[in-house]
Amino acid sequence: MADPAAPTLLIACGALAREVLALIERNGWGDRLRLTCLPAELHNYPRKIPDAVRARIHRARADGFERIFLLYGDCGTGGLLDAVLAEEGVERIEGPHCYSFFSGNEAFAANADEDVTSFFLTDFLARHFDKLIWEGLKLHKHEELLPLYFGNYERIVYIAQEHSEELQRRAEEIAARLNLAYEFRPVGYGDLESTLAGTAAQ
């Protein structure tokens, strides 16, 4: 039986690190929750996510953590991540991806038809678009690939976690670079905060 006083280890995508740490500090959950992250660059190679998560779960257990919770959506793994979690007996936050649980899964699902041609930015992606997307997908060397990656999108939707005029400017610049319409949605932390609250209370 797990020690009820032992902290839960959160295994998260690196794209969530800043937000998770902010919530832990803001709510005083430091004695209940610990955080470790996998590289955000895995989003460019979603088939690698399940094995990377499994390896981190095994490492966490070797380090003595009995309580483990995953902060990942399916993130393009096509159900393979959930299969790994079922085998390992680990639960994850609800939602297909961070755009959904930041927006609130119910609200995101309600807007699904309207948003089908939208490319989403979070605070993290607004900060790191050039490295993670522009360079990560080799667009800095091969701009002819732009229609392949972005040809079916009509707008950029920036779902902001915190108020930052600088990040809003960056998001607008990204939309202009991609020749897409722009929409700003200040959604906050959505279901991420309520999920962490529930996990910390266990």
Side-chain angles (χ1 to χ4, degrees):
M1 180 179 296
D3 179 357
T8 297
L9 181 68
L10 305 171
I11 299 177
C13 170
L16 302 176
R18 185 186 185 107
E19 288 73 26
V20 173
L21 289 173
L23 288 171
I24 289 174
E25 181 176 0
R26 177 186 301 177
N27 292 284
W29 294 329
D31 61 335
R32 301 295 303 143
L33 303 176
R34 301 285 188 274
L35 176 65
T36 185
C37 292
L38 294 171
E41 289 80 2
L42 283 173
H43 275 290
N44 290 338
Y45 313 97
R47 292 287 175 168
K48 295 183 179 181
I49 293 174
D51 285 342
V53 168
R54 189 194 299 275
R56 190 57 61 92
I57 290 171
H58 289 180
R59 185 192 307 178
R61 287 178 172 150
D63 289 341
F65 285 97
E66 298 182 37
R67 299 175 183 270
I68 301 170
F69 189 81
L70 191 72
L71 296 176
Y72 262 92
D74 176 77
C75 296
T77 71
L80 295 177
L81 178 58
D82 283 336
V84 166
L85 297 181
E87 292 171 5
E88 297 293 340
V90 172
E91 295 183 346
R92 70 169 176 88
I93 188 170
E94 293 185 10
H97 38 61
C98 64
Y99 315 129
S100 180
F101 57 71
F102 272 142
S103 300
N105 286 312
E106 289 187 8
F108 189 88
N111 290 327
D113 290 342
E114 177 186 352
D115 287 337
V116 69
T117 57
S118 298
F119 183 85
F120 289 90
L121 296 175
T122 61
D123 287 3
F124 177 87
L125 280 178
R127 286 189 183 93
H128 302 287
F129 182 86
D130 282 350
K131 180 180 179 181
L132 191 64
I133 304 297
W134 198 255
E135 296 177 14
L137 298 178
K138 309 300 183 186
L139 292 170
H140 63 306
K141 295 181 178 179
H142 301 284
E143 289 197 25
E144 69 273 12
L145 295 176
L146 270 173
L148 176 64
Y149 290 116
F150 292 97
N152 292 323
Y153 292 110
E154 296 179 356
R155 64 178 170 172
I156 292 287
V157 177
Y158 172 31
I159 51 171
Q161 283 66 72
E162 296 186 355
H163 177 74
S164 168
E165 292 183 359
E166 178 186 356
L167 291 183
Q168 288 184 53
R169 285 195 297 270
R170 289 189 187 183
E172 290 174 353
E173 290 168 0
I174 290 166
R177 188 192 311 179
L178 299 176
N179 196 28
L180 297 174
Y182 174 73
E183 180 180 339
F184 174 63
R185 295 181 193 171
V187 300
Y189 297 99
D191 292 345
L192 178 63
E193 183 163 15
S194 58
T195 297
L196 289 184
T199 304
Q202 292 179 358

